[in-house]
Amino acid sequence: MAKDNDDQLGEMSDEQRERIGKVLSTIPDPNQHPTGVQWHPTQYLDVWLMELRVRAERRATARLTTATWVLMGATAVLALATIALVIATAAHG
């Protein structure tokens, strides 16, 4: 079960800010300013939140994949048990 504070985001680290700044600096300037683009904090936040969303979706997908395999295994065991019961019933009936 999730803790109450699991949904709260921490502060963006300096390393993350620098990495996102490098990503944003690769985007060409639509106004063709020679000095480059001035990025506002909201653009940094948008990229950071998108990364967090992708990470959360990957975790959710991994959990669903694991649950699907477990369910498939349980279904196979139940099918084998049903076949064994049918055979046992037919042999003694």
Side-chain angles (χ1 to χ4, degrees):
M1 180 150 189
K3 298 177 197 169
D4 290 339
N5 60 356
D6 282 348
D7 293 336
Q8 296 176 356
L9 297 177
E11 187 176 324
M12 185 187 305
S13 69
D14 291 335
E15 293 84 20
Q16 290 172 325
R17 195 174 291 109
E18 288 175 22
R19 183 182 49 75
I20 291 171
K22 288 179 185 177
V23 169
L24 291 174
S25 69
T26 62
I27 299 172
D29 183 3
N31 298 322
Q32 300 299 320
H33 290 129
T35 58
V37 179
Q38 286 282 333
W39 294 107
H40 297 284
T42 54
Q43 280 89 17
Y44 282 83
L45 182 64
D46 288 342
V47 172
W48 188 53
L49 290 176
M50 182 59 67
E51 288 177 346
L52 292 173
R53 181 179 298 160
V54 168
R55 189 177 311 142
E57 288 176 0
R58 285 184 181 157
R59 286 184 194 146
T61 300
R63 284 192 298 264
L64 283 172
T65 302
T66 301
T68 301
W69 281 105
V70 169
L71 183 59
M72 189 177 75
T75 303
V77 168
L78 287 173
L80 292 174
T82 302
I83 292 169
L85 285 172
V86 168
I87 293 172
T89 302
H92 289 97

